[in-house]
Amino acid sequence: MNVLLNGEPHTLSGSRTLQALIDELGLAGKRLAVEVNEDIVPRSQHHDYRLQDGDRIEIVHAIGGG
């Protein structure tokens, strides 16, 4: 399955959940904002949200500072 991840082509094997992608990217447990096809996906839906071929995914990692 092919998606666009932060503007770059990315290949996923089989049907995947958004949480599986986040885990694969090593971002589990981090503060993230995730958008799929221009819609924000709340953290509570990451485990159940199924990605589809051609999805456009944007993941923004929140970085704190002072």
Side-chain angles (χ1 to χ4, degrees):
M1 173 169 42
N2 296 307
V3 298
L4 240 105
L5 176 60
N6 292 343
E8 299 291 326
H10 188 83
T11 301
L12 305 173
S13 57
S15 62
R16 305 274 306 246
T17 64
L18 188 52
Q19 187 62 51
L21 174 61
I22 290 169
D23 293 344
E24 177 184 304
L25 296 172
L27 299 174
K30 306 219 183 215
R31 294 182 52 164
L32 304 172
V34 182
E35 182 181 279
V36 179
N37 300 324
E38 300 182 7
D39 291 323
I40 301 277
V41 180
R43 180 184 303 270
S44 63
Q45 295 178 14
H46 290 183
H47 284 285
D48 297 322
Y49 193 98
R50 288 238 169 252
L51 297 172
Q52 303 295 319
D53 191 45
D55 278 346
R56 295 180 322 271
I57 305 159
E58 296 290 329
I59 299 177
V60 177
H61 183 204
I63 299 175

